[in-house]
Amino acid sequence: MTLRPDDSPRRAAYEILLRVADGAYADMVLDAALNRSTLDGRDKRLLTELVYGILRLQGRLDFALAQFCSQPLKRLQPEVLWLLRLGSYQLLELDRVPAHAAVSSTVDLAREVGFEQVTGLVNGVLRALERGRAEIPWPPPAKIKPYLQHVCSMPVWLTKEVMRQLPNAEAQALGESLTVAPPLTLRVNTLKIDRDAFLQALQAAGHQARPCRYAGAGVIVEQRGEQPLPGDEQGWYQVQDEASMLTAELLNARPAQRILDACAAPGGKTTALAALTDNRAEIIALDKYPQRVELIRQGVARLGCPTVTAAECDLTRLPEFLEPQSFDRVLLDAPCSGLGVLRRNPEGRWNKSSANLRDLAALQQLLLNNVATLVRPGGLLLYSLCTFSHCETDEVVEDFLVAHPDFALEDLRTEFPAWQDLFTTTGTMRTYPHRHDGMDAFFAARFRRCN
């Protein structure tokens, strides 16, 4: 099926969801569709809401649909199940869409995309859901495992992972936080404007915003106005989560240092490091894929960071073009499961498993071992991830310290006393959206090379 960007938002959402189910990334497919689309602003917002909302709440929607469908959902054609999810999301989650419109538009869409034979089933299930939604037997929070699965929309493997990490009340809070859209957070590019001036510009343009709680250059846009965000072409800001901003600050980068951002794309932390050093440090930004290196270069040009050099490099092998022990600071924001950003990449709930976590941990250990060779004596190595799984975080740190007695884990609490609630008892950073002002779930550990 070919996505037509001038279709209705429901038709576009349906076709995007089919592509995501086939392995595409939701953000990339959606962004491409929005850029080509002739939909007005209101319909673009509805399209975005439908795609991300359905993927976040797929498990919850399926639990509700199962109460009213006469056959197991797994026996339905995948296209039909996505139609039902599209209709049920509008019925259960969008108060501004009348029930009759949610049902009739889904039935019309089924007919339009070639499923005339199931319009009766779609109509019957959705009308039954509308009549009976107040009687859906949602599991209560006290039954934490089914609550996480059926209310917080977590597959079984992810439910087990969260329950291993947190006590029940916190597991519930984390699960609930991952069902909602993340805040729009911007890092002010202090190379071009200070935060107070940018906040004033936002207010003048009709947006409501406030400073981030932790990050000194961070701004949370609490309500967008009708005008575009000010300063986009001038490079006044970068869309970036607050936890990601903090990761750059933890590296303690200074002017005149030589800094490596080892897995840098799309470049948010790279340009943050340039701003933190006032464009007075040599920064090398690497990524494995040429198209992602180009993203770094585009961001560097937009934000005005001439001291950054971006290059292609596969760090699963020792980088021969970089001299050993030649960097004062090395940041490894490693490829990971992305459990901490499931609000932004909700398909990650459904296309990963616990086996993927172990495979990723092995890759992370390999990358960490290789970049460690580049740190000078006395230099710092920061390992960061947007996840909370134990095997990708604490276990990798423990294995690294055993294999590298010349590195010591630093206690971040001593250097950042104002951020005490972000740190663990071992001095690593671990953030959660339900604890820390809505920021993504991140982990960071800092090592110093002793000799």
Side-chain angles (χ1 to χ4, degrees):
M1 222 172 258
T2 301
L3 179 64
R4 299 182 302 185
D6 56 344
D7 280 328
S8 75
R10 292 171 178 84
R11 168 72 180 260
Y14 169 73
E15 297 195 4
I16 289 171
L17 291 167
L18 290 182
R19 292 182 62 180
V20 173
D22 283 339
Y25 292 105
D27 57 347
M28 296 178 66
V29 180
L30 178 60
D31 286 349
L34 291 173
N35 288 336
R36 298 193 308 270
S37 179
T38 59
L39 296 171
D40 62 24
R42 181 179 176 183
D43 279 345
K44 285 183 176 180
R45 288 191 290 273
L46 176 58
L47 169 57
T48 302
E49 165 79 10
L50 290 172
V51 170
Y52 283 121
I54 291 168
L55 290 171
R56 285 190 197 106
L57 299 184
Q58 179 179 319
R60 184 191 298 181
L61 300 175
D62 287 359
F63 180 81
L65 287 167
Q67 314 303 313
F68 303 99
C69 189
S70 60
Q71 56 183 298
L73 298 185
K74 63 183 179 181
R75 293 181 58 186
L76 297 174
Q77 288 179 262
E79 295 87 350
V80 176
L81 182 52
W82 284 113
L83 287 167
L84 289 172
R85 288 167 176 159
L86 182 61
S88 62
Y89 184 82
Q90 295 172 77
L91 286 172
L92 297 176
E93 304 296 332
L94 297 184
D95 293 338
R96 64 186 180 274
V97 177
H100 67 85
V103 176
S104 62
S105 65
T106 307
V107 172
D108 290 344
L109 179 58
R111 186 175 295 112
E112 180 183 341
V113 297
F115 286 94
E116 173 76 36
Q117 73 276 17
V118 300
T119 53
L121 180 147
V122 171
N123 182 70
V125 171
L126 293 180
R127 290 194 179 280
L129 172 60
E130 162 58 16
R131 292 191 301 269
R133 59 180 168 178
E135 308 303 321
I136 296 173
W138 299 111
K143 297 183 177 179
I144 186 64
K145 185 175 181 180
Y147 182 84
L148 290 175
Q149 290 178 29
H150 303 313
V151 177
C152 298
S153 190
M154 290 187 175
V156 173
W157 73 269
L158 182 56
T159 295
K160 291 179 179 178
E161 186 64 38
V162 170
M163 292 179 66
R164 277 194 293 266
Q165 298 292 320
L166 298 168
N168 284 1
E170 281 230 71
Q172 174 193 339
L174 175 59
E176 291 170 350
S177 72
L178 295 178
T179 65
V180 299
L184 173 59
T185 313
L186 311 176
R187 177 178 58 81
V188 180
N189 182 17
T190 54
L191 296 169
K192 298 195 173 185
I193 190 171
D194 63 49
R195 183 164 70 174
D196 288 343
F198 184 64
L199 283 167
Q200 292 172 7
L202 284 170
Q203 184 177 11
H207 308 284
Q208 296 180 22
R210 62 175 174 86
C212 284
R213 178 177 169 187
Y214 302 93
V219 166
I220 295 177
V221 181
E222 296 184 309
Q223 186 172 332
R224 293 190 67 164
E226 291 300 320
Q227 296 185 44
L229 295 173
D232 182 60
E233 292 185 2
Q234 298 91 333
W236 286 0
Y237 69 87
Q238 172 70 42
V239 177
Q240 189 172 8
D241 185 74
E242 186 175 9
S244 177
M245 299 181 217
L246 297 180
T247 298
E249 294 194 42
L250 294 178
L251 194 58
N252 192 21
R254 295 286 183 265
Q257 290 180 335
R258 191 164 190 249
I259 301 168
L260 175 66
D261 190 351
C263 296
K269 298 179 186 68
T270 307
T271 51
L273 290 168
L276 289 168
T277 56
D278 197 27
N279 270 342
R280 290 188 289 145
E282 178 190 359
I283 301 174
I284 296 177
L286 304 179
D287 201 87
K288 181 178 179 179
Y289 301 104
Q291 64 271 29
R292 291 174 62 80
V293 173
E294 183 57 32
L295 286 177
I296 300 171
R297 290 173 177 152
Q298 291 171 7
V300 163
R302 174 178 166 269
L303 298 176
C305 307
T307 62
V308 174
T309 301
E312 182 182 345
C313 180
D314 181 357
L315 284 168
T316 60
R317 297 183 292 272
L318 288 172
E320 295 181 357
F321 69 99
L322 296 176
E323 183 181 350
Q325 300 188 22
S326 61
F327 288 91
D328 301 284
R329 301 286 186 268
V330 173
L331 169 60
L332 175 64
D333 188 57
C336 71
S337 60
L339 301 186
V341 292
L342 289 177
R343 298 174 300 177
R344 305 176 193 278
N345 306 111
E347 67 272 24
R349 299 170 186 258
W350 316 110
N351 62 16
K352 293 185 175 70
S353 69
S354 56
N356 297 133
L357 304 187
R358 293 291 173 188
D359 292 340
L360 285 163
L363 172 62
Q364 291 148 8
Q365 191 69 67
L366 174 61
L367 295 173
L368 195 54
N369 290 338
N370 285 347
V371 299
T373 66
L374 303 172
V375 182
R376 331 176 171 263
L380 296 178
L381 167 60
L382 188 76
Y383 173 63
S384 67
L385 307 151
C386 54
T387 190
F388 49 76
S389 75
H390 183 72
C391 69
E392 296 178 273
T393 57
D394 297 319
E395 289 185 15
V396 170
V397 168
E398 292 164 6
D399 290 346
F400 177 78
L401 290 171
V402 170
H404 296 270
D406 52 337
F407 280 83
L409 179 67
E410 294 207 318
D411 189 339
L412 294 168
R413 294 173 295 179
T414 61
E415 189 173 330
F416 302 92
W419 300 350
Q420 290 297 308
D421 59 324
L422 303 180
F423 301 129
T424 68
T425 56
T426 60
T428 58
M429 184 181 82
R430 194 179 281 279
T431 64
Y432 290 105
H434 68 285
R435 287 184 188 173
H436 303 121
D437 206 23
M439 73 172 74
D440 288 336
F442 258 70
F443 174 87
R446 197 174 78 181
F447 309 96
R448 185 177 293 275
R449 185 166 202 150
C450 305
N451 52 59

Short mmCIF file of all heavy atoms in Angstrom, two decimals, residues 279-333:
data_model
loop_
_atom_site.label_atom_id
_atom_site.label_comp_id
_atom_site.label_asym_id
_atom_site.label_seq_id
_atom_site.Cartn_x
_atom_site.Cartn_y
_atom_site.Cartn_z
N ASN A 279 32.89 26.69 22.12
CA ASN A 279 33.57 26.49 20.82
C ASN A 279 35.09 26.62 20.95
O ASN A 279 35.77 27.06 20.02
CB ASN A 279 33.06 27.48 19.77
CG ASN A 279 31.89 26.93 18.98
OD1 ASN A 279 31.64 25.73 18.96
ND2 ASN A 279 31.14 27.82 18.34
N ARG A 280 35.62 26.20 22.09
CA ARG A 280 37.07 26.32 22.29
C ARG A 280 37.71 24.98 22.62
O ARG A 280 38.77 24.91 23.24
CB ARG A 280 37.38 27.35 23.39
CG ARG A 280 37.08 28.79 22.96
CD ARG A 280 37.56 29.80 23.98
NE ARG A 280 36.74 29.77 25.18
CZ ARG A 280 37.21 29.97 26.41
NH1 ARG A 280 38.51 30.15 26.63
NH2 ARG A 280 36.39 29.95 27.46
N ALA A 281 37.05 23.89 22.22
CA ALA A 281 37.62 22.55 22.37
C ALA A 281 37.58 21.85 21.03
O ALA A 281 36.68 22.09 20.21
CB ALA A 281 36.83 21.76 23.42
N GLU A 282 38.54 20.98 20.80
CA GLU A 282 38.53 20.16 19.58
C GLU A 282 37.61 18.96 19.83
O GLU A 282 37.85 18.16 20.73
CB GLU A 282 39.94 19.67 19.25
CG GLU A 282 39.97 18.77 18.02
CD GLU A 282 41.31 18.08 17.82
OE1 GLU A 282 42.23 18.32 18.64
OE2 GLU A 282 41.43 17.27 16.88
N ILE A 283 36.55 18.85 19.03
CA ILE A 283 35.57 17.79 19.22
C ILE A 283 35.50 16.95 17.95
O ILE A 283 35.28 17.48 16.86
CB ILE A 283 34.18 18.37 19.55
CG1 ILE A 283 34.25 19.21 20.84
CG2 ILE A 283 33.15 17.25 19.71
CD1 ILE A 283 32.96 19.94 21.16
N ILE A 284 35.67 15.66 18.12
CA ILE A 284 35.52 14.71 17.00
C ILE A 284 34.27 13.88 17.26
O ILE A 284 34.12 13.29 18.34
CB ILE A 284 36.75 13.81 16.86
CG1 ILE A 284 37.97 14.67 16.51
CG2 ILE A 284 36.52 12.74 15.79
CD1 ILE A 284 39.26 13.89 16.41
N ALA A 285 33.37 13.87 16.30
CA ALA A 285 32.10 13.16 16.42
C ALA A 285 32.06 12.03 15.40
O ALA A 285 32.21 12.26 14.20
CB ALA A 285 30.93 14.11 16.20
N LEU A 286 31.85 10.81 15.88
CA LEU A 286 31.87 9.63 15.01
C LEU A 286 30.50 8.97 14.96
O LEU A 286 29.73 9.01 15.92
CB LEU A 286 32.89 8.62 15.53
CG LEU A 286 34.32 9.09 15.71
CD1 LEU A 286 35.17 7.95 16.25
CD2 LEU A 286 34.90 9.63 14.40
N ASP A 287 30.22 8.34 13.83
CA ASP A 287 29.06 7.46 13.73
C ASP A 287 29.34 6.42 12.66
O ASP A 287 30.13 6.66 11.74
CB ASP A 287 27.78 8.22 13.41
CG ASP A 287 26.54 7.41 13.80
OD1 ASP A 287 26.11 7.51 14.97
OD2 ASP A 287 26.03 6.65 12.96
N LYS A 288 28.66 5.30 12.77
CA LYS A 288 28.93 4.17 11.88
C LYS A 288 28.39 4.39 10.47
O LYS A 288 28.96 3.88 9.49
CB LYS A 288 28.30 2.90 12.49
CG LYS A 288 28.52 1.64 11.69
CD LYS A 288 27.90 0.44 12.41
CE LYS A 288 28.08 -0.84 11.62
NZ LYS A 288 27.49 -2.01 12.33
N TYR A 289 27.30 5.15 10.34
CA TYR A 289 26.60 5.23 9.06
C TYR A 289 26.76 6.61 8.43
O TYR A 289 26.58 7.64 9.11
CB TYR A 289 25.12 4.91 9.25
CG TYR A 289 24.89 3.54 9.83
CD1 TYR A 289 24.54 3.38 11.17
CD2 TYR A 289 25.05 2.40 9.04
CE1 TYR A 289 24.35 2.12 11.71
CE2 TYR A 289 24.86 1.14 9.57
CZ TYR A 289 24.50 1.00 10.90
OH TYR A 289 24.32 -0.26 11.43
N PRO A 290 27.07 6.67 7.13
CA PRO A 290 27.32 7.97 6.48
C PRO A 290 26.13 8.91 6.54
O PRO A 290 26.31 10.13 6.69
CB PRO A 290 27.68 7.59 5.04
CG PRO A 290 27.22 6.17 4.87
CD PRO A 290 27.28 5.53 6.21
N GLN A 291 24.90 8.39 6.42
CA GLN A 291 23.74 9.28 6.45
C GLN A 291 23.56 9.90 7.82
O GLN A 291 23.07 11.04 7.96
CB GLN A 291 22.47 8.54 6.00
CG GLN A 291 22.02 7.39 6.90
CD GLN A 291 22.63 6.06 6.50
OE1 GLN A 291 23.74 6.04 5.96
NE2 GLN A 291 21.92 4.97 6.75
N ARG A 292 23.98 9.19 8.87
CA ARG A 292 23.88 9.75 10.21
C ARG A 292 25.02 10.74 10.48
O ARG A 292 24.83 11.71 11.22
CB ARG A 292 23.87 8.63 11.24
CG ARG A 292 22.58 7.80 11.19
CD ARG A 292 22.61 6.59 12.10
NE ARG A 292 22.75 6.94 13.50
CZ ARG A 292 21.76 7.35 14.29
NH1 ARG A 292 20.54 7.50 13.80
NH2 ARG A 292 21.98 7.61 15.57
N VAL A 293 26.17 10.51 9.86
CA VAL A 293 27.24 11.51 9.93
C VAL A 293 26.78 12.82 9.30
O VAL A 293 27.06 13.92 9.81
CB VAL A 293 28.52 10.99 9.25
CG1 VAL A 293 29.58 12.09 9.18
CG2 VAL A 293 29.06 9.78 9.99
N GLU A 294 26.03 12.72 8.22
CA GLU A 294 25.50 13.92 7.58
C GLU A 294 24.54 14.66 8.50
O GLU A 294 24.51 15.90 8.52
CB GLU A 294 24.82 13.55 6.27
CG GLU A 294 24.28 14.74 5.47
CD GLU A 294 25.36 15.77 5.14
OE1 GLU A 294 26.53 15.39 4.96
OE2 GLU A 294 25.00 16.96 5.07
N LEU A 295 23.76 13.93 9.29
CA LEU A 295 22.88 14.59 10.27
C LEU A 295 23.69 15.40 11.28
O LEU A 295 23.29 16.51 11.66
CB LEU A 295 22.04 13.54 11.00
CG LEU A 295 20.88 12.90 10.26
CD1 LEU A 295 20.22 11.84 11.14
CD2 LEU A 295 19.86 13.95 9.84
N ILE A 296 24.79 14.82 11.73
CA ILE A 296 25.67 15.55 12.66
C ILE A 296 26.15 16.84 12.01
O ILE A 296 26.10 17.92 12.61
CB ILE A 296 26.86 14.68 13.08
CG1 ILE A 296 26.40 13.40 13.77
CG2 ILE A 296 27.79 15.48 14.01
CD1 ILE A 296 27.53 12.40 14.02
N ARG A 297 26.62 16.75 10.78
CA ARG A 297 27.16 17.92 10.08
C ARG A 297 26.09 19.00 9.89
O ARG A 297 26.36 20.20 10.03
CB ARG A 297 27.75 17.50 8.73
CG ARG A 297 29.04 16.69 8.88
CD ARG A 297 29.52 16.13 7.58
NE ARG A 297 30.80 15.42 7.74
CZ ARG A 297 31.19 14.42 6.97
NH1 ARG A 297 30.42 14.00 5.96
NH2 ARG A 297 32.36 13.83 7.20
N GLN A 298 24.87 18.58 9.60
CA GLN A 298 23.79 19.56 9.45
C GLN A 298 23.53 20.29 10.76
O GLN A 298 23.35 21.51 10.78
CB GLN A 298 22.53 18.86 8.95
CG GLN A 298 22.61 18.35 7.52
CD GLN A 298 21.43 17.47 7.14
OE1 GLN A 298 20.45 17.34 7.90
NE2 GLN A 298 21.48 16.87 5.96
N GLY A 299 23.49 19.52 11.86
CA GLY A 299 23.26 20.14 13.16
C GLY A 299 24.39 21.06 13.57
O GLY A 299 24.17 22.14 14.13
N VAL A 300 25.61 20.65 13.30
CA VAL A 300 26.79 21.46 13.61
C VAL A 300 26.74 22.79 12.85
O VAL A 300 27.01 23.86 13.41
CB VAL A 300 28.07 20.68 13.26
CG1 VAL A 300 29.28 21.59 13.18
CG2 VAL A 300 28.30 19.58 14.30
N ALA A 301 26.35 22.74 11.57
CA ALA A 301 26.27 23.95 10.77
C ALA A 301 25.15 24.86 11.27
O ALA A 301 25.32 26.09 11.38
CB ALA A 301 26.05 23.59 9.30
N ARG A 302 24.00 24.27 11.58
CA ARG A 302 22.84 25.07 12.02
C ARG A 302 23.11 25.78 13.34
O ARG A 302 22.72 26.93 13.53
CB ARG A 302 21.62 24.16 12.14
CG ARG A 302 20.39 24.83 12.72
CD ARG A 302 19.20 23.89 12.77
NE ARG A 302 18.16 24.45 13.61
CZ ARG A 302 18.04 24.23 14.91
NH1 ARG A 302 18.91 23.43 15.53
NH2 ARG A 302 17.07 24.79 15.60
N LEU A 303 23.78 25.10 14.26
CA LEU A 303 23.99 25.64 15.59
C LEU A 303 25.29 26.42 15.73
O LEU A 303 25.54 27.03 16.77
CB LEU A 303 23.94 24.51 16.63
CG LEU A 303 22.61 23.77 16.70
CD1 LEU A 303 22.70 22.61 17.69
CD2 LEU A 303 21.47 24.69 17.10
N GLY A 304 26.13 26.40 14.69
CA GLY A 304 27.34 27.20 14.72
C GLY A 304 28.42 26.62 15.60
O GLY A 304 28.88 27.26 16.56
N CYS A 305 28.89 25.42 15.27
CA CYS A 305 29.91 24.72 16.07
C CYS A 305 31.10 24.35 15.19
O CYS A 305 31.30 23.17 14.83
CB CYS A 305 29.30 23.46 16.69
SG CYS A 305 27.79 23.75 17.63
N PRO A 306 31.94 25.31 14.82
CA PRO A 306 33.01 25.05 13.84
C PRO A 306 34.14 24.19 14.38
O PRO A 306 34.96 23.70 13.58
CB PRO A 306 33.52 26.47 13.51
CG PRO A 306 33.18 27.29 14.72
CD PRO A 306 31.90 26.74 15.22
N THR A 307 34.21 23.97 15.68
CA THR A 307 35.30 23.14 16.22
C THR A 307 34.98 21.65 16.19
O THR A 307 35.77 20.84 16.67
CB THR A 307 35.62 23.56 17.67
OG1 THR A 307 34.46 23.35 18.49
CG2 THR A 307 36.03 25.02 17.74
N VAL A 308 33.82 21.29 15.64
CA VAL A 308 33.42 19.88 15.56
C VAL A 308 33.78 19.31 14.19
O VAL A 308 33.49 19.90 13.16
CB VAL A 308 31.90 19.72 15.79
CG1 VAL A 308 31.48 18.27 15.56
CG2 VAL A 308 31.52 20.16 17.20
N THR A 309 34.40 18.14 14.21
CA THR A 309 34.67 17.38 12.98
C THR A 309 33.91 16.07 13.06
O THR A 309 34.07 15.31 14.02
CB THR A 309 36.18 17.09 12.83
OG1 THR A 309 36.90 18.32 12.80
CG2 THR A 309 36.45 16.29 11.56
N ALA A 310 33.07 15.80 12.06
CA ALA A 310 32.28 14.57 12.03
C ALA A 310 32.87 13.60 11.03
O ALA A 310 33.29 13.99 9.93
CB ALA A 310 30.83 14.88 11.67
N ALA A 311 32.91 12.33 11.40
CA ALA A 311 33.51 11.33 10.52
C ALA A 311 32.81 9.99 10.70
O ALA A 311 32.22 9.71 11.75
CB ALA A 311 35.00 11.18 10.82
N GLU A 312 32.90 9.15 9.68
CA GLU A 312 32.32 7.81 9.71
C GLU A 312 33.32 6.85 10.36
O GLU A 312 34.50 6.84 10.03
CB GLU A 312 32.00 7.37 8.29
CG GLU A 312 31.34 6.01 8.18
CD GLU A 312 31.09 5.62 6.74
OE1 GLU A 312 31.16 6.50 5.85
OE2 GLU A 312 30.85 4.41 6.49
N CYS A 313 32.83 6.02 11.28
CA CYS A 313 33.72 5.06 11.95
C CYS A 313 32.90 3.97 12.60
O CYS A 313 31.92 4.25 13.30
CB CYS A 313 34.57 5.77 13.01
SG CYS A 313 35.71 4.67 13.89
N ASP A 314 33.29 2.73 12.38
CA ASP A 314 32.68 1.58 13.03
C ASP A 314 33.53 1.21 14.23
O ASP A 314 34.61 0.62 14.08
CB ASP A 314 32.58 0.41 12.04
CG ASP A 314 31.93 -0.83 12.66
OD1 ASP A 314 31.60 -0.80 13.86
OD2 ASP A 314 31.78 -1.83 11.93
N LEU A 315 33.06 1.53 15.41
CA LEU A 315 33.85 1.34 16.63
C LEU A 315 33.77 -0.08 17.19
O LEU A 315 34.27 -0.33 18.29
CB LEU A 315 33.43 2.35 17.69
CG LEU A 315 33.95 3.77 17.43
CD1 LEU A 315 33.27 4.77 18.34
CD2 LEU A 315 35.47 3.83 17.58
N THR A 316 33.19 -1.00 16.44
CA THR A 316 33.33 -2.40 16.84
C THR A 316 34.74 -2.90 16.55
O THR A 316 35.11 -3.99 16.97
CB THR A 316 32.30 -3.29 16.13
OG1 THR A 316 32.49 -3.19 14.71
CG2 THR A 316 30.88 -2.88 16.49
N ARG A 317 35.50 -2.09 15.82
CA ARG A 317 36.93 -2.35 15.60
C ARG A 317 37.72 -1.17 16.14
O ARG A 317 37.24 -0.05 16.15
CB ARG A 317 37.23 -2.55 14.11
CG ARG A 317 36.52 -3.75 13.50
CD ARG A 317 36.92 -3.94 12.04
NE ARG A 317 36.40 -2.86 11.22
CZ ARG A 317 35.20 -2.86 10.64
NH1 ARG A 317 34.38 -3.87 10.83
NH2 ARG A 317 34.82 -1.85 9.88
N LEU A 318 38.93 -1.42 16.57
CA LEU A 318 39.77 -0.33 17.08
C LEU A 318 40.01 0.68 15.96
O LEU A 318 40.40 0.31 14.85
CB LEU A 318 41.10 -0.88 17.59
CG LEU A 318 41.04 -1.67 18.90
CD1 LEU A 318 42.39 -2.32 19.18
CD2 LEU A 318 40.65 -0.76 20.06
N PRO A 319 39.77 1.96 16.23
CA PRO A 319 39.93 2.99 15.19
C PRO A 319 41.40 3.30 14.94
O PRO A 319 42.06 3.98 15.74
CB PRO A 319 39.19 4.20 15.77
CG PRO A 319 39.26 4.00 17.25
CD PRO A 319 39.25 2.52 17.49
N GLU A 320 41.92 2.85 13.83
CA GLU A 320 43.35 3.00 13.55
C GLU A 320 43.74 4.45 13.29
O GLU A 320 44.90 4.84 13.47
CB GLU A 320 43.73 2.13 12.35
CG GLU A 320 43.57 0.63 12.62
CD GLU A 320 43.98 -0.20 11.43
OE1 GLU A 320 44.33 0.39 10.38
OE2 GLU A 320 43.95 -1.45 11.53
N PHE A 321 42.79 5.29 12.85
CA PHE A 321 43.14 6.67 12.51
C PHE A 321 43.16 7.58 13.75
O PHE A 321 43.48 8.76 13.63
CB PHE A 321 42.17 7.23 11.46
CG PHE A 321 40.77 7.45 11.96
CD1 PHE A 321 40.35 8.71 12.35
CD2 PHE A 321 39.86 6.40 12.04
CE1 PHE A 321 39.06 8.92 12.79
CE2 PHE A 321 38.57 6.59 12.48
CZ PHE A 321 38.16 7.86 12.87
N LEU A 322 42.82 7.04 14.91
CA LEU A 322 42.87 7.81 16.14
C LEU A 322 43.98 7.26 17.03
O LEU A 322 44.07 6.06 17.27
CB LEU A 322 41.53 7.74 16.88
CG LEU A 322 40.33 8.37 16.17
CD1 LEU A 322 39.06 8.14 16.97
CD2 LEU A 322 40.54 9.86 15.93
N GLU A 323 44.81 8.15 17.51
CA GLU A 323 45.96 7.74 18.33
C GLU A 323 45.50 7.28 19.71
O GLU A 323 44.67 7.94 20.36
CB GLU A 323 46.92 8.92 18.48
CG GLU A 323 48.18 8.58 19.24
CD GLU A 323 49.10 9.78 19.39
OE1 GLU A 323 48.83 10.82 18.74
OE2 GLU A 323 50.08 9.68 20.16
N PRO A 324 45.99 6.15 20.20
CA PRO A 324 45.63 5.70 21.54
C PRO A 324 45.98 6.76 22.59
O PRO A 324 46.96 7.50 22.46
CB PRO A 324 46.46 4.42 21.74
CG PRO A 324 46.73 3.94 20.34
CD PRO A 324 46.87 5.18 19.51
N GLN A 325 45.14 6.81 23.62
CA GLN A 325 45.35 7.70 24.76
C GLN A 325 45.54 9.15 24.34
O GLN A 325 46.40 9.87 24.86
CB GLN A 325 46.53 7.21 25.61
CG GLN A 325 46.35 5.83 26.17
CD GLN A 325 47.42 5.43 27.17
OE1 GLN A 325 48.09 6.27 27.75
NE2 GLN A 325 47.58 4.12 27.38
N SER A 326 44.71 9.61 23.39
CA SER A 326 44.89 10.96 22.85
C SER A 326 43.74 11.91 23.18
O SER A 326 43.76 13.06 22.73
CB SER A 326 45.07 10.90 21.32
OG SER A 326 43.93 10.34 20.70
N PHE A 327 42.74 11.45 23.95
CA PHE A 327 41.59 12.29 24.25
C PHE A 327 41.49 12.57 25.75
O PHE A 327 41.65 11.67 26.58
CB PHE A 327 40.30 11.64 23.76
CG PHE A 327 40.14 11.66 22.27
CD1 PHE A 327 40.60 10.60 21.50
CD2 PHE A 327 39.55 12.74 21.62
CE1 PHE A 327 40.48 10.60 20.13
CE2 PHE A 327 39.43 12.76 20.25
CZ PHE A 327 39.89 11.69 19.49
N ASP A 328 41.17 13.82 26.08
CA ASP A 328 40.93 14.19 27.47
C ASP A 328 39.57 13.71 27.94
O ASP A 328 39.39 13.39 29.13
CB ASP A 328 41.00 15.72 27.62
CG ASP A 328 42.33 16.27 27.19
OD1 ASP A 328 43.29 16.12 27.96
OD2 ASP A 328 42.39 16.85 26.08
N ARG A 329 38.62 13.71 27.04
CA ARG A 329 37.25 13.31 27.37
C ARG A 329 36.70 12.44 26.25
O ARG A 329 36.87 12.76 25.06
CB ARG A 329 36.33 14.53 27.54
CG ARG A 329 36.76 15.53 28.62
CD ARG A 329 36.48 14.96 30.00
NE ARG A 329 36.74 15.93 31.04
CZ ARG A 329 37.90 16.07 31.68
NH1 ARG A 329 38.94 15.31 31.33
NH2 ARG A 329 38.03 16.95 32.65
N VAL A 330 36.04 11.35 26.63
CA VAL A 330 35.38 10.48 25.66
C VAL A 330 33.96 10.21 26.13
O VAL A 330 33.75 9.82 27.30
CB VAL A 330 36.13 9.14 25.47
CG1 VAL A 330 35.32 8.19 24.59
CG2 VAL A 330 37.50 9.38 24.88
N LEU A 331 33.00 10.46 25.27
CA LEU A 331 31.60 10.15 25.54
C LEU A 331 31.18 8.98 24.66
O LEU A 331 31.31 9.03 23.44
CB LEU A 331 30.72 11.36 25.23
CG LEU A 331 29.20 11.12 25.20
CD1 LEU A 331 28.70 10.61 26.55
CD2 LEU A 331 28.46 12.37 24.78
N LEU A 332 30.69 7.92 25.29
CA LEU A 332 30.09 6.80 24.56
C LEU A 332 28.62 6.72 24.94
O LEU A 332 28.26 6.17 25.99
CB LEU A 332 30.80 5.48 24.90
CG LEU A 332 30.15 4.24 24.26
CD1 LEU A 332 30.25 4.30 22.73
CD2 LEU A 332 30.78 2.96 24.78
N ASP A 333 27.79 7.33 24.12
CA ASP A 333 26.34 7.19 24.27
C ASP A 333 25.96 6.01 23.37
O ASP A 333 25.67 6.18 22.19
CB ASP A 333 25.63 8.47 23.85
CG ASP A 333 24.14 8.43 24.18
OD1 ASP A 333 23.81 8.24 25.35
OD2 ASP A 333 23.34 8.57 23.24
#
